[in-house]
Amino acid sequence: MVRMALPGERARGRPTRRSTDVVTEDTRTAKMERVQHITKSAIRRASQIEVTPQAKRNLQELFVNFTLILICLLLIYIIVLLSS
């Protein structure tokens, strides 16, 4: 669907038929479920969601633990390379 060519020639200026119009039409003809498109307003709403301090702390701890695991794996890899 992404590389689908639109019928007819394109006029100068803004196209009268946008790619989102084509996707919407294709989903209707294929009788697919309605797909929620990510728009600027949806991204803006998602970025304004407030996170509780406990959830923020949990994410920070998760990130620190993940980083420490990666460092340990890197050190083990270096030790194995040096020992061989």
Side-chain angles (χ1 to χ4, degrees):
M1 274 197 272
V2 176
R3 296 181 185 170
M4 187 174 86
L6 295 176
E9 291 189 22
R10 186 174 157 198
R12 293 186 67 185
R14 182 178 178 159
T16 55
R17 193 169 185 198
R18 298 172 299 176
S19 61
T20 55
D21 298 335
V22 174
V23 170
T24 306
E25 183 181 319
D26 289 342
T27 54
R28 281 190 197 134
T29 55
K31 296 180 181 174
M32 297 171 55
E33 281 186 28
R34 184 176 177 163
V35 179
Q36 180 182 2
H37 299 285
I38 298 178
T39 60
K40 288 183 181 180
S41 61
I43 293 172
R44 206 174 294 123
R45 279 195 308 269
S47 66
Q48 292 175 352
I49 295 174
E50 292 190 25
V51 180
T52 62
Q54 180 65 33
K56 195 179 286 188
R57 218 173 300 120
N58 289 345
L59 284 173
Q60 288 173 346
E61 289 175 7
L62 182 68
F63 178 74
V64 169
N65 290 339
F66 181 72
T67 306
L68 289 174
I69 290 171
L70 284 178
I71 291 171
C72 290
L73 288 173
L74 181 63
L75 288 174
I76 291 170
Y77 179 73
I78 291 172
I79 291 171
V80 168
L81 279 179
L82 291 177
S83 65
S84 59

